[in-house]
CSV table of all heavy atoms in Angstrom, one decimal:
chain,number,residue,atom,x,y,z
A,72,PRO,N,-25.7,-45.5,-25.2
A,72,PRO,CA,-25.7,-45.1,-23.8
A,72,PRO,C,-24.7,-45.9,-22.9
A,72,PRO,O,-24.4,-47.1,-23.2
A,72,PRO,CB,-27.2,-45.5,-23.4
A,72,PRO,CG,-27.9,-45.6,-24.7
A,72,PRO,CD,-27.0,-46.0,-25.7
A,99,ASP,N,-37.0,-26.9,-28.9
A,99,ASP,CA,-38.0,-26.6,-27.9
A,99,ASP,C,-39.4,-26.9,-28.4
A,99,ASP,O,-40.2,-27.6,-27.8
A,99,ASP,CB,-38.0,-25.2,-27.4
A,99,ASP,CG,-36.8,-24.9,-26.5
A,99,ASP,OD1,-36.6,-25.5,-25.5
A,99,ASP,OD2,-36.0,-24.0,-26.9
A,109,ILE,N,-47.8,-37.2,-26.2
A,109,ILE,CA,-47.8,-38.2,-25.2
A,109,ILE,C,-48.9,-38.0,-24.2
A,109,ILE,O,-49.5,-39.0,-23.7
A,109,ILE,CB,-46.4,-38.2,-24.5
A,109,ILE,CG1,-45.3,-38.6,-25.5
A,109,ILE,CG2,-46.4,-39.2,-23.3
A,109,ILE,CD1,-43.9,-38.3,-25.1
A,117,ALA,N,-56.4,-43.7,-20.7
A,117,ALA,CA,-57.1,-43.6,-19.4
A,117,ALA,C,-58.6,-43.6,-19.7
A,117,ALA,O,-59.4,-44.3,-19.0
A,117,ALA,CB,-56.7,-42.3,-18.7
A,126,LEU,N,-69.4,-42.8,-19.7
A,126,LEU,CA,-68.7,-41.7,-20.4
A,126,LEU,C,-68.2,-40.6,-19.5
A,126,LEU,O,-67.0,-40.2,-19.6
A,126,LEU,CB,-69.7,-41.1,-21.4
A,126,LEU,CG,-69.3,-39.9,-22.2
A,126,LEU,CD1,-68.2,-40.2,-23.2
A,126,LEU,CD2,-70.4,-39.2,-22.9
A,142,GLN,N,-50.4,-28.2,-14.9
A,142,GLN,CA,-50.3,-27.2,-13.8
A,142,GLN,C,-48.8,-27.1,-13.4
A,142,GLN,O,-48.4,-26.0,-12.9
A,142,GLN,CB,-51.1,-27.8,-12.6
A,142,GLN,CG,-51.1,-27.0,-11.4
A,142,GLN,CD,-52.1,-27.5,-10.4
A,142,GLN,OE1,-53.0,-28.3,-10.7
A,142,GLN,NE2,-52.1,-27.0,-9.2
A,164,VAL,N,-54.9,-51.9,-19.6
A,164,VAL,CA,-56.0,-52.0,-20.7
A,164,VAL,C,-56.0,-53.5,-21.1
A,164,VAL,O,-57.1,-54.1,-21.2
A,164,VAL,CB,-55.7,-51.1,-21.9
A,164,VAL,CG1,-56.6,-51.5,-23.1
A,164,VAL,CG2,-56.0,-49.7,-21.5
A,169,SER,N,-61.7,-58.5,-22.0
A,169,SER,CA,-62.6,-59.7,-21.8
A,169,SER,C,-61.7,-61.0,-21.8
A,169,SER,O,-60.9,-61.1,-22.7
A,169,SER,CB,-63.6,-59.7,-22.9
A,169,SER,OG,-64.0,-61.1,-23.2
A,208,TRP,N,-55.4,-64.5,-6.5
A,208,TRP,CA,-56.6,-64.4,-5.7
A,208,TRP,C,-57.8,-64.9,-6.4
A,208,TRP,O,-58.7,-65.7,-5.9
A,208,TRP,CB,-56.8,-63.0,-5.2
A,208,TRP,CG,-58.0,-62.8,-4.3
A,208,TRP,CD1,-58.1,-63.3,-3.0
A,208,TRP,CD2,-59.1,-61.9,-4.5
A,208,TRP,NE1,-59.3,-62.9,-2.5
A,208,TRP,CE2,-60.0,-62.0,-3.4
A,208,TRP,CE3,-59.6,-61.1,-5.6
A,208,TRP,CZ2,-61.2,-61.4,-3.2
A,208,TRP,CZ3,-60.8,-60.5,-5.5
A,208,TRP,CH2,-61.6,-60.6,-4.3
A,230,PHE,N,-44.1,-63.4,-18.6
A,230,PHE,CA,-42.7,-63.3,-18.4
A,230,PHE,C,-41.9,-63.3,-19.7
A,230,PHE,O,-40.9,-62.7,-19.8
A,230,PHE,CB,-42.2,-64.3,-17.4
A,230,PHE,CG,-42.6,-63.9,-15.9
A,230,PHE,CD1,-43.6,-64.5,-15.3
A,230,PHE,CD2,-41.9,-62.8,-15.3
A,230,PHE,CE1,-43.9,-64.1,-14.0
A,230,PHE,CE2,-42.2,-62.4,-14.0
A,230,PHE,CZ,-43.3,-63.1,-13.4
A,333,ILE,N,-44.9,-46.6,-2.8
A,333,ILE,CA,-43.7,-47.4,-2.4
A,333,ILE,C,-42.6,-47.0,-3.3
A,333,ILE,O,-41.4,-46.8,-2.9
A,333,ILE,CB,-44.0,-48.9,-2.5
A,333,ILE,CG1,-45.0,-49.3,-1.5
A,333,ILE,CG2,-42.7,-49.7,-2.4
A,333,ILE,CD1,-45.7,-50.7,-1.7
A,344,TYR,N,-41.8,-34.5,-9.8
A,344,TYR,CA,-42.2,-35.5,-10.8
A,344,TYR,C,-42.2,-36.9,-10.3
A,344,TYR,O,-42.9,-37.8,-10.9
A,344,TYR,CB,-41.3,-35.4,-12.1
A,344,TYR,CG,-39.8,-35.3,-11.8
A,344,TYR,CD1,-39.1,-36.5,-11.6
A,344,TYR,CD2,-39.1,-34.1,-11.8
A,344,TYR,CE1,-37.7,-36.4,-11.4
A,344,TYR,CE2,-37.8,-34.0,-11.6
A,344,TYR,CZ,-37.0,-35.2,-11.4
A,344,TYR,OH,-35.7,-35.2,-11.1
A,385,ARG,N,-55.0,-25.4,-10.6
A,385,ARG,CA,-54.7,-24.0,-10.9
A,385,ARG,C,-53.9,-24.0,-12.2
A,385,ARG,O,-53.1,-24.9,-12.5
A,385,ARG,CB,-53.7,-23.4,-9.9
A,385,ARG,CG,-54.4,-23.1,-8.5
A,385,ARG,CD,-55.2,-21.9,-8.5
A,385,ARG,NE,-55.8,-21.7,-7.2
A,385,ARG,CZ,-56.9,-22.3,-6.8
A,385,ARG,NH1,-57.5,-23.2,-7.6
A,385,ARG,NH2,-57.5,-22.0,-5.6
A,394,ILE,N,-51.5,-15.6,-20.6
A,394,ILE,CA,-52.9,-15.0,-20.7
A,394,ILE,C,-52.8,-13.5,-20.5
A,394,ILE,O,-53.4,-12.7,-21.2
A,394,ILE,CB,-53.8,-15.7,-19.7
A,394,ILE,CG1,-54.1,-17.1,-20.1
A,394,ILE,CG2,-55.1,-14.9,-19.6
A,394,ILE,CD1,-54.8,-18.0,-19.1
A,410,ILE,N,-25.1,-18.4,-23.4
A,410,ILE,CA,-24.0,-19.4,-23.7
A,410,ILE,C,-24.1,-19.9,-25.1
A,410,ILE,O,-23.1,-20.1,-25.8
A,410,ILE,CB,-24.0,-20.5,-22.6
A,410,ILE,CG1,-23.8,-19.9,-21.2
A,410,ILE,CG2,-23.0,-21.6,-23.0
A,410,ILE,CD1,-24.0,-20.9,-20.1
A,423,THR,N,-14.9,-29.2,-29.8
A,423,THR,CA,-15.8,-29.9,-28.8
A,423,THR,C,-15.9,-28.9,-27.6
A,423,THR,O,-15.2,-28.0,-27.4
A,423,THR,CB,-15.1,-31.2,-28.4
A,423,THR,OG1,-13.8,-30.9,-27.8
A,423,THR,CG2,-15.0,-32.2,-29.5
A,465,HIS,N,-12.3,-43.8,-9.7
A,465,HIS,CA,-12.1,-44.2,-11.1
A,465,HIS,C,-12.8,-43.2,-12.1
A,465,HIS,O,-12.1,-42.9,-13.1
A,465,HIS,CB,-12.7,-45.6,-11.3
A,465,HIS,CG,-12.9,-46.0,-12.7
A,465,HIS,ND1,-11.8,-46.3,-13.5
A,465,HIS,CD2,-14.0,-46.1,-13.5
A,465,HIS,CE1,-12.2,-46.5,-14.8
A,465,HIS,NE2,-13.5,-46.4,-14.8
A,485,PHE,N,-20.4,-23.9,-14.4
A,485,PHE,CA,-21.4,-23.2,-13.5
A,485,PHE,C,-20.8,-23.3,-12.1
A,485,PHE,O,-20.6,-24.4,-11.6
A,485,PHE,CB,-22.8,-23.8,-13.6
A,485,PHE,CG,-23.6,-23.2,-14.7
A,485,PHE,CD1,-23.5,-23.7,-16.0
A,485,PHE,CD2,-24.5,-22.2,-14.5
A,485,PHE,CE1,-24.3,-23.2,-17.0
A,485,PHE,CE2,-25.2,-21.6,-15.5
A,485,PHE,CZ,-25.1,-22.1,-16.8
Side-chain angles (χ1 to χ4, degrees):
D99 288 302
I109 294 163
L126 173 70
Q142 180 172 349
V164 165
S169 153
W208 186 60
F230 283 106
I333 292 164
Y344 47 84
R385 291 280 178 281
I394 290 168
I410 296 169
T423 60
H465 166 72
F485 274 86

